[in-house]
Amino acid sequence: MAVRNIVKIGSETLRKKSKPVVSFDESLHALLDDMKQTMIEKGGVGIAGVQVGVLRRVIVIEIEEGNYLEIVNPEIIKTRGAVIDSEGCLSIPNFYCDVKRPKYVKVKAQDRNGDEFFFEAKDYIARCVCHEIDHLNGVLFVDYTDEGKMYRSKFEHMED
Ligand code: CO
């Protein structure tokens, strides 16, 4: 396992849409292992492939202390409710702002071997899952609020 560099805001890579994983092979497993290691090392609770520069639809999140969930090709199939809470991101150091997210999500995904599974999450974990799935679509949490957009404008010149 290795710690990889985190892609930071300002890089166009973060704005690209990640592609589905089609090969559940050793290189995928190495990527997931490295993502987990990188997230732990950098003190995050979730990480997406694009954040280590790999444009594949893969996520690792810490669902409880020391317990990590690998999520490949996720698809949100149900959401309920809404909660506003503070959010941050490894790719956007030292900035936090409130973002509205679903209180509950149900997700269909695959594991590292390609086997399909479903999971449900609420509150903080639901927030984390939505934030990471946004990364797979080139979306950052600073896109959602005026405060975030102001911060973002220091790094990016984007058309809204
Ligand atoms: Co993030």
Side-chain angles (χ1 to χ4, degrees):
M1 281 198 275
V3 173
R4 303 198 189 188
N5 288 328
I6 295 280
V7 177
K8 301 275 170 50
I9 189 167
S11 166
E12 285 183 14
T13 302
L14 287 176
R15 293 305 186 174
K16 291 185 177 150
K17 194 169 163 141
S18 295
K19 293 189 171 69
V21 170
V22 290
S23 302
F24 295 83
D25 55 10
E26 275 177 23
S27 77
L28 173 69
H29 298 174
L31 171 63
L32 288 163
D33 290 343
D34 287 358
M35 284 169 61
K36 176 181 155 186
Q37 194 66 29
T38 304
M39 180 178 80
I40 292 168
E41 176 77 18
K42 308 287 183 187
V45 290
I47 191 167
V50 61
Q51 291 183 278
V52 293
V54 179
L55 290 164
R56 289 288 169 185
R57 301 185 81 78
V58 290
I59 292 167
V60 179
I61 62 173
E62 187 176 18
I63 51 174
E64 55 188 19
E65 200 176 337
N67 188 7
Y68 304 92
L69 180 64
E70 297 171 346
I71 304 165
V72 179
N73 297 334
E75 197 185 317
I76 293 176
I77 54 174
K78 194 192 275 183
T79 68
R80 208 159 47 219
V83 181
I84 295 171
D85 204 349
S86 181
E87 224 165 278
C89 179
L90 289 175
S91 295
I92 308 174
N94 306 314
F95 181 78
Y96 303 87
C97 70
D98 283 353
V99 179
K100 189 174 175 181
R101 298 283 190 188
K103 182 172 174 58
Y104 161 95
V105 291
K106 184 172 184 182
V107 177
K108 180 177 132 179
Q110 285 167 286
D111 66 15
R112 61 162 59 202
N113 300 312
D115 292 326
E116 189 177 281
F117 68 101
F118 292 83
F119 72 95
E120 296 171 296
K122 59 183 184 176
D123 298 321
Y124 185 68
I125 303 301
R127 170 171 303 278
C128 188
V129 168
C130 292
H131 175 118
E132 300 310 330
I133 291 177
D134 272 356
H135 272 302
L136 305 183
N137 297 319
V139 174
L140 301 174
F141 80 95
V142 289
D143 299 345
Y144 290 112
T145 63
D146 288 344
E147 190 190 0
K149 285 177 189 170
M150 262 167 59
Y151 180 85
R152 186 186 75 189
S153 67
K154 291 186 214 165
F155 300 93
E156 293 184 325
H157 301 282
M158 293 180 46
E159 290 176 16
D160 277 312

